[in-house]
Amino acid sequence: MKKITVISGKGGTGKTTFTANLVSLMDKVVIADCDVDAPNLHLLLKPENRNDEIYRGAKLAVKDEEKCIDCGICYDNCRFNAIRKSDFSVIDLKCEGCGVCAEVCPTDALKMEEIVTGNIYRAESKYGPMIHARLIPGADTSGKLVSEVKKIADEKAKEINADWIIVDGSPGIGCPVIASLNDADMALLVTEPTLTGFSDLRRVIEVIDHFNIEAGLIINKFDINEAISDRIEEYCRNENIELFARIPYSKKIVDSLQKGELFAANPGNEDLKEMMLQVVSKIKNNFKGE
Ligand code: SF4
Ligand code: SF4
């Protein structure tokens, strides 16, 4: 079983549209949407039978007023300034859940409690089992939630003996992206031919170099600026990153997207389907002989 993570240096490159169409053409696949801050793969894959579970990904210090003797030791030891000097109460929004205050409190007045930071959905799509999640706005544990989604996808893949796990990674290069890439067998880099797209792509390549992950390049809407597309392709060639697809700016793709449909599945889009099938075959070739 191989894990392929689709990433882009930033949002809005068409990463999720690409991912949805890719999984629709793969067999024995488990799908993990790790864009937990703004998940939307489910809008295209329309999974059903969603099993919704609460995710508690953080802890918060909670004080029992009855036990507090106002000694101020918690205030002195909280390095996140999350204890008020006036009454030694906890400032929830500043608490990082480190647990130091609960350790040092002489009367056990402070306890650490788990708090809800998101939801995880286990669902079935037409193309295979799909695990997705949504982080509560403002919750600061997206990397942990991404790891949890991937763990559940791994379990599901083992259960059904899947050949592939396709991960729709988070945009950017921060903690959730690193969690999305962790233990990937291959990364697919989706970019667009703009100067910012190129610059973001270079930063993403630094990340995958760090993890030493094989990668393939997808240039979306390549024809809106063919000169930059050529530069991106050349840059990636020098980085040993193979070009997997140049996707055109196409009204057929826009129309499918507006209807919430997959462009590779719609009649009349055989050329686009063929292009995506070539991506599937390049992915498979990458693992030939293993
Ligand atoms: S350390 Fe415990 S007893 Fe002292 S002020 Fe803080 S909560 Fe109250
Ligand atoms: S858990 Fe850590 S951050 Fe939160 S109040 Fe206690 S010491 Fe401060």
Side-chain angles (χ1 to χ4, degrees):
M1 186 253 294
K2 298 291 180 194
K3 193 176 292 169
I4 314 292
T5 299
V6 186
I7 52 171
S8 59
K10 67 180 193 67
T13 59
K15 171 180 64 68
T16 296
T17 307
F18 168 82
T19 308
N21 283 277
L22 177 70
V23 298
S24 75
L25 297 170
M26 297 191 81
D27 296 324
K28 295 182 78 179
V29 65
V30 171
I31 306 141
D33 186 354
C34 288
D35 189 354
V36 298
D37 289 289
N40 51 19
L41 189 60
H42 61 286
L43 300 176
L44 284 168
L45 297 182
K46 304 180 175 59
E48 291 180 347
N49 306 323
R50 296 205 312 176
N51 176 356
D52 176 357
E53 62 192 70
I54 283 169
Y55 176 67
R56 297 174 195 275
K59 288 186 174 176
L60 191 70
V62 176
K63 190 169 84 161
D64 180 345
E65 292 295 346
E66 304 266 297
K67 291 185 177 175
C68 179
I69 55 170
D70 290 333
C71 67
I73 292 176
C74 53
Y75 173 82
D76 292 337
N77 283 275
C78 176
R79 63 190 183 94
F80 298 101
N81 297 321
I83 304 278
R84 288 186 184 88
K85 193 173 186 179
S86 53
D87 59 358
F88 308 122
S89 58
V90 178
I91 306 167
D92 291 357
L93 282 174
K94 287 190 173 178
C95 177
E96 292 283 329
C98 68
V100 167
C101 57
E103 285 292 321
V104 297
C105 175
T107 63
D108 270 346
L110 287 157
K111 291 262 177 291
M112 301 308 297
E113 286 189 2
E114 289 191 320
I115 53 167
V116 175
T117 54
N119 292 71
I120 297 179
Y121 308 96
R122 300 170 196 241
E124 284 296 327
S125 80
K126 194 172 152 191
Y127 311 101
M130 175 170 178
I131 318 300
H132 54 123
R134 181 179 291 277
L135 195 72
I136 287 176
D140 191 21
T141 53
S142 47
K144 280 175 75 180
L145 184 50
V146 165
S147 299
E148 190 64 24
V149 167
K150 286 177 64 191
K151 190 178 109 203
I152 296 169
D154 274 351
E155 289 165 0
K156 191 70 191 176
K158 281 181 193 136
E159 183 191 318
I160 66 165
N161 203 17
D163 288 340
W164 305 97
I165 296 178
I166 303 293
V167 176
D168 188 12
S170 314
I173 55 161
C175 172
V177 180
I178 289 166
S180 305
L181 280 169
N182 183 32
D183 73 12
D185 296 293
M186 180 176 214
L188 297 181
L189 315 178
V190 181
T191 189
E192 59 180 15
T194 60
L195 289 175
T196 52
F198 192 9
S199 155
D200 291 331
L201 178 72
R202 282 194 289 248
R203 294 192 308 156
V204 162
I205 290 172
E206 281 173 25
V207 177
I208 61 158
D209 276 351
H210 176 78
F211 283 95
N212 200 17
I213 301 171
E214 297 261 353
L217 169 71
I218 294 93
I219 308 178
N220 193 24
K221 300 182 197 159
F222 79 90
D223 42 0
I224 61 170
N225 192 326
E226 295 203 36
I228 297 183
S229 289
D230 290 345
R231 281 175 59 197
I232 289 174
E233 193 180 335
E234 189 189 346
Y235 182 87
C236 286
R237 198 179 308 118
N238 291 333
E239 292 282 330
N240 288 322
I241 296 171
E242 188 186 346
L243 176 71
F244 275 23
R246 279 180 170 233
I247 301 177
Y249 178 76
S250 162
K251 189 168 180 316
K252 291 194 275 191
I253 295 178
V254 176
D255 287 347
S256 301
L257 201 53
Q258 279 173 348
K259 290 183 206 149
E261 294 170 354
L262 301 176
F263 64 76
N266 278 346
N269 291 356
E270 282 71 22
D271 52 338
L272 297 170
K273 181 176 178 183
E274 182 50 37
M275 178 190 66
M276 291 302 295
L277 282 171
Q278 280 180 22
V279 173
V280 173
S281 120
K282 280 176 192 271
I283 294 170
K284 289 182 178 171
N285 276 343
N286 196 63
F287 299 108
K288 226 177 191 173
E290 283 189 23

